[in-house]
Amino acid sequence: MQASPNRKIVSVNVSLPREIEWKGRVVTTGIFKEPVQGRIPLHKLNLDGDRQADLSVHGGPDKAIYAYPAEYYAYWRQELPDMTLNWGMFGENLTIEGFLDAEVYIGDRFRAGTAELLVTQPRVPCYKIGLKFQREDMVKRFLKSGYTGFYFRVEKEGEVGADDKLELLSQDENRVSISEIIRLYAYDRNDLEALGRAVKVDALASVWKDFFLDKLNQS
């Protein structure tokens, strides 16, 4: 898969938590993002009009903004031909174009609109993506696809809107990509060289750094 040559925000998507019945119980979730128009204030923890439901696993400074590449929608439309997949379907705040997971590195700093954003970690799906798609196999399919998207920390508050350019300002010298983090997590926890590079990245969220340090210490 190739990234679009246009590097921009395609859609800004927000939602407030709502209650949904899933497997016989009521679940509160903020995954039902919908596109919004105009310029949206972006704060340290979220966008205006957006909230995370379960702050024990979602949200916080290192998961303030979730981005998902628009290019991946073509794959999912083939995988799920009976579903309508609008922007925001994967719970992303920013549907972006021009940066794929294999080309985005932990510690990449971007300018988006008047805000500045720092890449901190990939997205690991929870059961709520199964709820969103009404498919029990969706968590496994999402992780297996390798198309996870990634989280930003907000380094500078500002405003963002659809068609804003994503300008790469700086990049961590260790060059540990989002795809490499997922590989180390899901498939290759014995790659000590890559684990060692990953824990050197200052921007890597502490939960990931601790996990990889534990694997190194066990080796």
Side-chain angles (χ1 to χ4, degrees), residues 152-202:
F152 286 121
R153 183 164 69 226
V154 178
E155 295 287 278
K156 177 184 176 184
E157 295 181 336
E159 291 185 339
V160 294
D163 293 325
D164 280 352
K165 291 183 179 180
L166 282 170
E167 179 186 356
L168 182 62
L169 300 177
S170 63
Q171 202 160 58
D172 185 271
E173 62 182 7
N174 295 286
R175 294 176 68 83
V176 179
S177 72
I178 293 298
S179 294
E180 190 165 19
I181 293 290
I182 289 296
R183 176 179 67 82
L184 292 172
Y185 170 75
Y187 307 111
D188 198 0
R189 296 179 181 182
N190 295 317
D191 187 341
L192 301 184
E193 185 277 332
L195 288 170
R197 282 190 294 111
V199 299
K200 292 178 182 177
V201 182
D202 289 339

Side-chain angles (χ1 to χ4, degrees), residues 3 10 17 19-20 22 30-31 63 69 75-76 80 90-91 104 130 168 179 182 188-189 195 197 203-204 210 215 217:
V10 175
E19 291 185 343
I20 301 292
W22 175 244
I31 199 171
K63 290 184 177 180
Y75 167 84
W76 289 112
L80 306 169
F90 295 90
V104 172
L168 182 62
S179 294
I182 289 296
D188 198 0
R189 296 179 181 182
L195 288 170
R197 282 190 294 111
L204 182 64
D210 291 346
K215 297 305 170 188
N217 291 334

Side-chain angles (χ1 to χ4, degrees), residues 140-151:
K140 184 180 293 186
R141 293 179 71 159
F142 187 83
L143 191 58
K144 184 179 179 180
S145 75
Y147 300 150
T148 66
F150 47 90
Y151 286 102

